[in-house]
Amino acid sequence: MDPDDAVAELRRLDTSGLLALFTTLEAPTIAEIDGEYTAALLAQPDLFAVATGKVAVGNPLAPWLCKAFRPVDENSGRGYNTFSEFGRVRQRYPMRTLLAPSRYDGAAAYTLVYRAYTSLCGSIHMVDEVRRAAPGVYLGMGTWGFTDAQRRVARPFLLTGPVGPYRGDIGVARAAFTPGPRELPGPLA
C-alpha cells in the first residue's frame, strides 16, 4: 500500500477497525526500526482513553513528537519518546524493544516494554506493540494499567519515518528486570 494511502486509512478507522487491521499486519524487524518516528494518537476506544491520551501526549505546552528506536542486537533494542518543551526537544520514557507474541493474535509484534526502565510509563506497566502498515508507516497498539482488564484496552497510535537520527540512550534500567506476563501475556482469551 502507498504510504500516504496507509496513513489516510489509519486516520479514518475507528479503534475496532484499527485492531482488526493490526492483526493482518507483519512486525518489522529489530533492524528495520532505527531512528525517530513522528508519533500521533489515532482513534481511541473510549472517552477515558481520549482524556488520558490528551493529558499524556496532547499537552499544548509539551506536545508529543516522536518515538525513537535503535537496535542493540538482532533480537532487541532500546528507545525513548520525545516531547517539545518551550522549543526544546526532551527525551522521556525509555523502553526496551524486542519481538514478542502479540497479546491480540499471538503473531510477532515489535514490542516496547517500558517497565525495563524507571519512569512513569514503566510504573504503569505500559507496553506498546507495533506492526508495519506500509513502508515507513507503522500502526501501534499501546496498553497500560495495573490489572489484566486495564491492559486489554488498546490505544492505537501512528508512527511514520524515520524522520531523524536516534539521539542517544536515556534512562535507568531496572536491575535484573525480565519481562513477565504483565508485559508479555501472549494472546488474550
Side-chain angles (χ1 to χ4, degrees):
M1 181 182 284
D2 175 78
D4 291 338
D5 292 342
V7 169
E9 177 73 3
L10 295 174
R11 291 188 184 280
R12 183 188 65 75
L13 292 171
D14 64 12
T15 304
S16 61
L18 289 165
L19 195 50
L21 176 62
F22 185 82
T23 63
T24 70
L25 302 176
E26 292 186 4
T29 64
I30 292 292
E32 177 180 338
I33 304 293
D34 192 356
E36 290 191 341
Y37 293 75
T38 301
L41 291 180
L42 294 170
Q44 297 298 294
D46 54 37
L47 190 55
F48 180 73
V50 169
T52 55
K54 285 192 182 295
V55 169
V57 299
N59 180 342
L61 298 177
W64 186 35
L65 301 175
C66 295
K67 287 186 182 287
F69 313 96
R70 76 169 180 91
V72 170
D73 56 38
E74 66 183 46
N75 300 312
S76 66
R78 294 185 64 160
Y80 57 81
N81 288 268
T82 64
F83 294 82
S84 176
E85 293 180 7
F86 305 106
R88 297 183 62 184
V89 175
R90 300 281 188 194
Q91 297 163 266
R92 296 185 188 272
Y93 312 128
M95 84 283 285
R96 180 185 299 170
T97 62
L98 66 155
L99 293 179
S102 169
R103 69 184 63 223
Y104 303 107
D105 62 7
Y110 186 91
T111 304
L112 291 56
V113 178
Y114 290 85
R115 186 79 179 165
Y117 295 90
T118 302
S119 76
L120 174 63
C121 291
S123 296
I124 63 172
H125 305 285
M126 182 175 285
V127 174
D128 298 336
E129 296 182 10
V130 174
R131 288 184 175 160
R132 183 187 328 99
V137 179
Y138 302 91
L139 173 58
M141 293 291 163
T143 60
W144 62 269
F146 302 97
T147 68
D148 288 345
Q150 290 172 329
R151 290 188 295 269
R152 287 187 187 112
V153 179
R155 294 170 166 81
F157 60 90
L158 169 67
L159 298 176
T160 56
V163 296
Y166 189 82
R167 294 172 189 264
D169 295 334
I170 64 166
V172 176
R174 292 181 190 267
F177 172 79
T178 300
R182 279 190 295 209
E183 292 81 26
L184 306 175
L188 300 174

